[in-house]
């Protein structure tokens, strides 16, 4: 499939994880992780629409449909790379997105992620965000990375802080239909460079670049 849709050959590898654009077989395995749960039902880490509140199996089916739609939506002006995160044994753990609009002009990316509850608290969230930041800064030439999290999302804020992001103001978003405050975080290239890693490798970028507007 890489010959006709090169993103299937895009791979980011760290010493303990691989990030790859999932084919349908891997999406089906990730749906099992979603069914098992990715956060305590009493707490919501995501802004609306609260997709994880949907009952199973509608939750998994709706999620897979969104992944299919996302493949077709990639274009040079606005793209979202949705990576499956797998361990060294190939076990799916969660997903890590990297996205941007008007990247060539703004050189700014955003991130979004989730992990199955069984895999949380082991440093995987930091490792997988490190992987896509390396892709963004080292390979794509980003100058800034942005992130945001509700103020009670301690894990997300901890990952941002550990990777060199700085608080960058606040915004309000709906969470289960109610307004709640989010903190914005910003990682500048010079701050990323201070913690730059040499053990992250990237494969299959060349054929993807034109689809992301990076062929110049």
């Amino acid at each position: 499939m890489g010959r006709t849709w090169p993103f299937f050959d895009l791979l980011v590898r760290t010493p303990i994880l691989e990030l790859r654009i999932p084919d349908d077989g891997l999406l089906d395995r990730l749906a099992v992780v979603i069914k098992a749960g990715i956060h305590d039902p009493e707490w919501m880490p995501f802004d609306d629409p609260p997709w994880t509140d949907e009952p199973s199996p509608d939750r998994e089916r709706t999620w897979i449909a969104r992944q299919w739609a996302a493949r077709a939506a990639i274009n040079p002006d606005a793209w979202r790379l949705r990576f499956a995160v797998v361990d060294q044994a190939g076990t799916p753990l969660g997903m890590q997105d990297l996205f941007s609009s008007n990247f060539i002009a703004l050189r700014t990316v955003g991130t979004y992620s989730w992990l199955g509850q069984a895999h949380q608290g082991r440093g995987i969230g930091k490792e997988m965000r490190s992987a896509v930041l390396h892709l963004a800064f080292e390979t794509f030439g980003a100058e800034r990375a942005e992130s945001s999290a509700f103020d009670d999302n301690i894990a997300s804020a901890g990952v941002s802080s550990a990777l060199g992001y700085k608080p960058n103001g606040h915004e309000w978003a709906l969470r289960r239909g109610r307004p709640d405050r989010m903190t914005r975080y910003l990682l500048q290239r010079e701050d990323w460079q201070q913690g730059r890693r040499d053990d992250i490798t990237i494969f299959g970028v060349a054929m993807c670049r034109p689809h992301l507007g990076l062929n110049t």
Side-chain angles (χ1 to χ4, degrees), residues 165-169 183-186:
Y165 289 74
K166 304 292 175 51
N168 190 39
T183 296
R184 296 194 301 262
Y185 299 92
L186 176 65

Side-chain angles (χ1 to χ4, degrees), residues 68-124:
W68 290 336
R71 291 175 183 168
I74 293 175
N75 67 79
D77 295 325
W79 44 263
R80 187 172 190 130
L81 302 178
R82 300 175 181 236
F83 288 97
V85 180
V86 301
D87 64 16
Q88 291 175 311
T91 303
L93 311 176
M95 291 199 77
Q96 173 70 66
D97 295 5
L98 180 73
F99 54 87
S100 183
S101 297
N102 301 309
F103 178 79
I104 294 303
L106 300 177
R107 297 287 172 176
T108 302
V109 298
T111 58
Y112 171 89
S113 65
W114 59 263
L115 269 175
Q117 281 186 286
H119 310 297
Q120 295 173 13
R122 296 159 44 193
I124 295 172

Side-chain angles (χ1 to χ4, degrees), residues 110-170:
T111 58
Y112 171 89
S113 65
W114 59 263
L115 269 175
Q117 281 186 286
H119 310 297
Q120 295 173 13
R122 296 159 44 193
I124 295 172
K126 179 183 176 184
E127 185 75 0
M128 63 200 220
R129 202 189 308 179
S130 292
V132 291
L133 290 175
H134 194 87
L135 176 64
F137 284 103
E138 181 73 11
T139 304
F140 292 170
E143 294 294 332
R144 290 163 294 277
E146 298 176 335
S147 184
S148 61
F150 286 112
D151 288 353
D152 60 357
N153 193 338
I154 305 303
S156 179
V159 168
S160 295
S161 177
L163 292 175
Y165 289 74
K166 304 292 175 51
N168 190 39
H170 302 282

